[in-house]
């Protein structure tokens, strides 16, 4: 019959085994103590350890301090790596491997720790176990300030030299960051200027025929009475609008052609492309027609009204605001 001592040992062994299983997530802290202004970095490593043997699927890994909101965490199908080490003094990298769970890890680097960083850090792992149940494992480690004050002159000099080196390294890092921020700021300023120019830029015109003009095939109709000109795109001498920049434009052409028994066909042209054509047939004195077109154009495209056919007795475009050519850019590109 087993002795009482053997039974107690067996019971303690079972308890220890259960405790080890329940605490199978692992947090490594290196170093566990630090000296302010001297220690350059503290490393925290959160890994499955024994968890992987029971985990069917790891759902979450995180590192938290003093039971507060996690400093960082990672979920499946994610691989993280971030932190420049000075803005928030943290660098993080990690991965959850859904195929081989023991390959999963979450590493946290704390640069230039201070007394405020001392405390208890916890590695938390949430996972689905082999029975399909949600389970959570934790492991904690303490980070402690080393307040030993050596009286040896060489130790004090070494500590001061190390602290000075760390300060210089942080200054260099700040200078690099500042240079990068300045460059990013310049790029953003240029992008903002381009965007502002696109949003605020306007190109528009409207002009009418100022006096009656006889028409012939191939003529470009000149609208010399300029009522609106923004962007300097329309030429009142040639009757041609030249697109100042790429964008979507809308054009509207209204014509009244008369002369008694005349027929007129006029095309709205953009370069060599016909956008629209209007037709008039005057039985008495005048017949009015209009067209509108919206098109995406490149800079330097000439838009104009060209006579395709003018037949009958003295076909003429009429004045008094009866013939108007208008256009404007509705969206830059």
């Amino acid at each position: 019959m087993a002795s009482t001592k053997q039974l107690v040992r067996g019971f303690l062994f079972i308890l220890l085994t259960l405790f080890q299983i329940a605490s199978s997530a692992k947090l490594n802290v290196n170093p566990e103590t630090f000296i302010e202004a001297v220690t350059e970095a503290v490393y925290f490593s959160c890994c499955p350890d024994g968890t992987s043997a029971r985990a069917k699927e790891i759902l979450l890994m995180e590192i938290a301090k003093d039971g507060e909101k996690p400093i960082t965490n990672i979920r499946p199908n994610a691989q993280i790596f971030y932190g420049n080490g000075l803005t928030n003094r943290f660098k993080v990298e990690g991965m959850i491997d859904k195929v081989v769970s023991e390959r999963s890890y979450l590493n946290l680097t704390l640069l230039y720790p201070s007394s405020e960083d001392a405390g208890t850090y916890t590695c938390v792992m949430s996972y689905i176990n082999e029975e399909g149940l949600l389970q959570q494992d934790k492991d904690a480690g303490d980070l402690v300030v080393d307040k030993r004050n050596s009286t040896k002159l060489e130790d004090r000099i070494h500590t001061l030299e190390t602290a000075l080196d760390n300060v210089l390294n942080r200054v260099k890092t700040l200078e690099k960051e500042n240079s990068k921020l300045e460059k990013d700021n310049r790029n953003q300023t240029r992008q903002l200027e381009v965007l502002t120019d696109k949003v605020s830029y306007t190109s528009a015109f409207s002009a009418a025929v100022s006096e009656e003009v006889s028409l012939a095939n191939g003529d470009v109709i000149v609208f010399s009475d300029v009522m609106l000109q923004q962007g300097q795109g329309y030429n009142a001498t040639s009757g041609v609008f030249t697109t100042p920049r790429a964008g979507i434009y809308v054009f509207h052409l209204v014509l009244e052609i008369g002369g008694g028994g005349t027929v007129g066909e006029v095309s709205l042209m953009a370069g060599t492309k016909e956008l629209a054509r209007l037709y008039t047939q005057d039985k008495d004195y005048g017949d009015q027609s209009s067209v509108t077109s919206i098109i995406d154009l490149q800079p330097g495209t000439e838009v104009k009204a060209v006579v395709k056919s003018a037949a009958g007795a003295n076909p003429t475009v009429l004045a008094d605001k009866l013939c108007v050519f208008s256009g404007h850019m509705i969206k830059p590109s």
Side-chain angles (χ1 to χ4, degrees):
M1 186 173 181
S3 65
T4 302
K5 183 179 292 186
Q6 290 174 327
L7 291 174
V8 172
R9 286 179 177 175
F11 181 69
L12 290 175
F13 175 77
I14 293 173
L15 286 178
L16 180 60
T17 302
L18 290 174
F19 176 77
Q20 289 176 339
I21 292 176
S23 304
S24 54
K26 182 64 177 175
L27 177 69
N28 293 315
V29 183
N30 181 36
E32 296 179 346
T33 61
F34 67 92
I35 303 174
E36 284 191 286
V38 175
T39 302
E40 184 174 348
V42 176
Y43 305 94
F44 303 89
S45 178
C46 178
C47 59
D49 200 19
T51 298
S52 59
R54 302 195 320 278
K56 184 177 180 180
E57 180 182 357
I58 296 177
L59 303 177
L60 176 69
M61 298 174 64
E62 63 184 30
I63 298 176
K65 177 179 179 291
D66 295 332
E68 299 175 354
K69 182 179 178 180
I71 299 171
T72 183
N73 60 59
I74 186 172
R75 299 178 184 275
N77 299 323
Q79 184 169 357
I80 58 175
F81 182 84
Y82 67 84
N84 56 21
L86 203 58
T87 302
N88 54 20
R89 299 186 301 118
F90 287 132
K91 288 184 178 180
V92 179
E93 58 179 340
M95 174 187 70
I96 289 183
D97 193 322
K98 296 188 67 174
V99 179
V100 185
S101 57
E102 60 262 29
R103 293 179 181 172
S104 304
Y105 69 95
L106 181 60
N107 294 336
L108 170 68
T109 302
L110 170 62
L111 296 183
Y112 308 108
S114 66
S115 57
E116 294 180 354
D117 297 311
T120 300
Y121 290 78
T122 306
C123 167
V124 181
M125 304 191 66
S126 301
Y127 60 95
I128 302 295
N129 64 19
E130 293 178 337
E131 288 74 32
L133 301 176
L134 179 63
Q135 194 165 338
Q136 190 176 82
D137 290 347
K138 297 181 179 181
D139 188 32
D142 292 328
L143 180 62
V144 181
V145 180
D146 186 350
K147 296 184 178 180
R148 291 176 297 176
N149 187 14
S150 175
T151 57
K152 292 183 179 180
L153 179 60
E154 57 270 24
D155 288 344
R156 296 175 67 183
I157 292 175
H158 175 71
T159 299
L160 288 172
E161 289 176 342
T162 304
L164 179 60
D165 288 341
N166 285 341
V167 170
L168 292 175
N169 288 334
R170 296 180 71 177
V171 169
K172 290 179 181 178
T173 305
L174 275 174
E175 289 176 344
K176 290 181 180 179
E177 282 195 347
N178 186 59
S179 177
K180 183 178 181 300
L181 287 173
E182 288 180 349
K183 183 178 179 181
D184 291 343
N185 185 59
R186 288 194 296 269
N187 290 337
Q188 290 175 359
T189 300
R190 284 194 292 268
Q191 292 173 3
L192 181 60
E193 289 174 350
V194 172
L195 181 61
T196 302
D197 180 60
K198 282 187 175 183
V199 172
S200 61
Y201 181 81
T202 300
S203 176
F205 74 97
S206 182
V209 172
S210 59
E211 58 183 15
E212 294 184 2
V213 178
S214 297
L215 298 178
N217 294 347
D219 284 353
V220 175
I221 300 176
V222 178
F223 303 80
S224 56
D225 181 8
V226 178
M227 297 173 288
L228 174 68
Q229 173 79 287
Q230 291 186 352
Q232 304 300 317
Y234 180 70
N235 188 321
T237 302
S238 64
V240 175
F241 172 75
T242 304
T243 53
R245 60 175 62 187
I248 298 175
Y249 291 80
V250 58
F251 298 99
H252 188 62
L253 177 62
V254 180
L255 288 177
E256 182 165 345
I257 298 176
T262 63
V263 174
E265 286 188 58
V266 178
S267 293
L268 179 61
M269 303 293 296
T272 58
K273 182 177 182 179
E274 184 179 54
L275 303 182
R277 183 184 299 188
L278 60 79
Y279 175 83
T280 64
Q281 185 174 11
D282 172 28
K283 295 181 180 180
D284 298 315
Y285 184 74
D287 187 22
Q288 193 175 59
S289 182
S290 66
V291 291
T292 299
S293 180
I294 301 175
I295 186 171
D296 191 355
L297 297 175
Q298 294 301 310
T301 305
E302 293 187 348
V303 182
K304 54 193 173 184
V306 180
V307 179
K308 289 295 183 180
S309 176
N314 192 31
T316 303
V317 289
L318 305 183
D320 299 325
K321 302 297 191 294
L322 295 172
C323 300
V324 178
F325 183 25
S326 303
H328 69 278
M329 183 174 66
I330 59 176
K331 181 182 178 183
S333 61

